[in-house]
Amino acid sequence: MSNLLKNSITMGKPTAWRTHESNFYPSLDGKVTPGCINISPAWFQQGREVCPVNVNGGLQSECRNMASPMSGILISAALRVMHPDLYWAGIITQVRLGEWATWYQLHDMCYHLKHCTSVFNVVAVICNHRSPPHRDPKCRPEAFDVMTTAGIYHPVIMDFMNIGIKFLYDSGSMLASSCRLVRHHMHVEEGSWIVTAWYM
C-alpha cells in the first residue's frame, strides 16, 4: 500500500490541500508512508469524482488488510449507537448497490460488497498529514464522519472550531461529527500516524 500512498501526493495547486505535498511530512522511523487514499467498493457508482488510481487484484487484498473486517464492524457498531438512522441508511445503500451490481453482472463489485463489513461506503486512509481548518462540503449535513487514529506521535488536539470544542486526539481515539457543518482541524508536525476517516 505504500506505493499507492506515495503516488497519491500531488504537486499541483496548493488549494488541493488534501493531497498536496506541502501538507505531508516524513515518518521519523520510516514505517509510515505519507499519503491519502480512498477505499470504496463502489466509488464511481456513488457519483464521486473519478479516482486516479486503478485498484487491481493485488492492491485490493492490501486494501482489505488496511481496512480490516474488525475495523468495519467496530465503526458500524459505534454508528448504530450514535446515529441509528444513518446506520440503517448505510445498510440500505449497500443492499441496493449489491442488487444493482448483480443486475449488471459486475462480479468484482458484488464480491467486494459481500465482504465489506462497514455500513460506510468509503474509508479514507490518511498518513502523516497536516489538516488545515476545513469543512467537508461534499458530505451531507445530516451524515456523520467517524475518524479513528493510530500511531506514535505527540499529543494532538482535534479542534471543532465553530462550536468551540477541543478533543485530545490520542492514538486509538474515535471521533464523529457532521464534517460538513463542523469546521475542524488538527496540527501534527512529527511522528508516525494513520487516520482512517469513514464516511458515506
Side-chain angles (χ1 to χ4, degrees):
M1 182 168 299
S2 25
N3 282 339
L4 192 65
L5 286 163
K6 189 178 357 175
N7 292 336
S8 71
I9 298 176
T10 61
M11 293 178 250
K13 296 179 182 177
T15 53
W17 64 268
R18 291 180 197 279
T19 56
H20 194 268
E21 64 180 346
S22 63
N23 287 317
F24 293 94
Y25 61 91
S27 172
L28 295 177
D29 59 10
K31 292 183 180 177
V32 173
T33 302
C36 176
I37 59 171
N38 292 298
I39 301 169
S40 173
W43 183 263
F44 182 73
Q45 289 81 357
Q46 296 171 51
R48 302 201 184 272
E49 66 271 8
V50 176
C51 182
V53 177
N54 181 20
V55 180
N56 60 33
L59 177 61
Q60 288 169 349
S61 62
E62 282 191 63
C63 292
R64 279 195 302 275
N65 292 337
M66 187 66 172
S68 74
M70 186 57 74
S71 298
I73 291 168
L74 289 172
I75 293 296
S76 297
L79 185 67
R80 176 72 174 95
V81 172
M82 293 184 284
H83 197 326
D85 291 343
L86 187 59
Y87 171 85
W88 287 111
I91 294 284
I92 290 166
T93 300
Q94 296 279 354
V95 169
R96 289 185 180 159
L97 279 170
E99 290 169 348
W100 182 85
T102 301
W103 177 262
Y104 288 100
Q105 298 180 358
L106 301 171
H107 304 295
D108 285 348
M109 187 173 159
C110 286
Y111 174 83
H112 292 294
L113 284 166
K114 284 179 186 174
H115 291 87
C116 184
T117 58
S118 170
V119 297
F120 287 94
N121 304 6
V122 183
V123 58
V125 179
I126 308 159
C127 300
N128 286 11
H129 185 261
R130 295 177 195 94
S131 173
H134 69 283
R135 290 189 179 105
D136 298 319
K138 292 184 180 179
C139 293
R140 299 180 66 176
E142 64 274 15
F144 275 13
D145 289 3
V146 178
M147 298 162 284
T148 63
T149 183
I152 300 169
Y153 53 91
H154 295 293
V156 174
I157 301 296
M158 170 68 87
D159 188 355
F160 289 173
M161 302 170 71
N162 58 334
I163 58 175
I165 298 174
K166 295 181 180 183
F167 295 95
L168 186 59
Y169 201 38
D170 283 341
S171 183
S173 298
M174 178 188 297
L175 291 174
S177 74
S178 171
C179 289
R180 179 172 179 174
L181 301 177
V182 178
R183 187 171 170 84
H184 55 286
H185 88 100
M186 60 205 132
H187 187 77
V188 182
E189 286 296 331
E190 62 181 39
S192 297
W193 79 315
I194 300 169
V195 172
T196 53
W198 302 78
Y199 60 98
M200 295 183 182

